[in-house]
Every structure is written in structure tokens, then in C-alpha cells.
Amino acid sequence: MSKIVVVYFSGYGHTRRIAEAVAAGASASLLAVDSEGNIPEAGWDELAAADGIIFGAPTYMGSAPWQFKKFADATSKAWFTRAWQDKVFGGFTNSASLNGDKAVTLISLQTLASQHGGIWVSLGLPPANTLASTRQDVNNLGGSVGLLVQSPSDAGADAIPQGDLDTAGKYGARVAEIASRLKA
């Protein structure tokens, strides 16, 4: 079994709920980026020991918020030593809008993983794109690079569509399974 860490920033609780669903699917530990853009010192050791890292951040104004960016910039210490070389990576983001320019954030998470020499795991699920599809279906937003989630701006995290939560669990399981295969 592989060791997976979900490292995320959540401004209002929506991203935390998705992180929990991803972590449940991956049997992963959670590592929160705090409101100042920091993780606990022990978090760096946890990331170094991980076989896989899943990044999570909301999309604010077309990109990850500054708190996650501060964390990402701090990973340069791991980059200098190639500490995360060949680790398995994944990523997720959410926004209030169905689109919300989430793809921009997701590509930035993928780029961060690539900077570290990581192996990125795509969502690997076909889109729910028929007339009969609903927000309860898996991959109802049609993502492929990673996990896309819609979080209504006028509701709490409990209003995230079940299809998105189910997709989150499946994505976490996929990242963990690929990390286990590569570890073997």
C-alpha cells in the first residue's frame, strides 16, 4: 500500500470537504495549508515520505489563492534537492461556477508537480455528457487533467453535488492505486 498525502488550502470549507473525499478514496492523510500559507514543520517530512501527493486548492479569480501559492513557492526547497522526483501527483480544484476557469488552476497544479519531476495522474473517467446526465453523475463537469468540483457560492460545503464527491473518491483511489503499482 502506498502513502498518499492530500495537501490543500480551503478558504471557506468547500475545498476541505473535497480533500476529505479524495483522502477517503486514497486512504490518505490530510495536510492543510493554513490561512497564512504555511504547513506545520512536520508536514514537510510527511510530504518527503509520501509515495504520492495530491494538491488541492480553490479557484479564486482564475487561479489558486495566495495561501496555496505561498506553499507552492516554499516547495522550492524540495525542488532544489529533487526530494519529490518521481513521486505520483494529482490535483483538484473547485469554484462557485460550473467553469470558473478551474482548468487554469488545475494546469498550475500539474505544472508544480512537473517542476518537481513528478508523475501526474489524470482523472481517468469519461465525462457524463449526455442529455440524461445530472449533477449526481460521476465526472459531470467533464474533467480530464484532474478533479473539477463546483461549490455553490451561496451555500455551505454540504451543498457540493454528490456526483462531485463521488468523483473525488474515485480520483483519490486512482492516484493511490497508480502509486502502489509504481512502488511495486
Side-chain angles (χ1 to χ4, degrees), residues 14 94-97 135 150-161 164:
H14 300 90
N94 63 297
S95 70
S97 300
R135 295 303 318 271
Q150 190 259 332
S151 302
S153 64
D154 59 350
D158 58 332
I160 294 172
D164 290 359

Side-chain angles (χ1 to χ4, degrees), residues 42-109:
W44 294 109
D45 294 333
E46 187 177 1
L47 290 168
D51 299 307
I53 299 170
I54 303 173
F55 297 133
T59 296
Y60 295 164
M61 303 306 293
S63 65
W66 71 265
Q67 293 92 337
F68 191 87
K69 179 67 171 119
K70 180 180 175 186
F71 158 76
D73 288 349
T75 71
S76 64
K77 292 175 186 170
W79 176 83
F80 277 114
T81 62
R82 304 315 290 167
W84 297 354
Q85 182 78 31
D86 296 331
K87 287 188 187 289
V88 171
F89 286 86
F92 63 93
T93 188
N94 63 297
S95 70
S97 300
L98 290 175
N99 181 318
D101 296 317
K102 287 187 276 287
V104 176
T105 301
L106 204 53
I107 295 299
S108 72
L109 300 179

Side-chain angles (χ1 to χ4, degrees), residues 1 18 34 43 57 62 71 87 94 97 111 113 116 118 138 171 174 180:
M1 186 164 175
I18 298 302
D34 69 20
F71 158 76
K87 287 188 187 289
N94 63 297
S97 300
T111 300
H116 283 282
V138 169
Y171 185 55
R174 176 173 162 78
S180 289

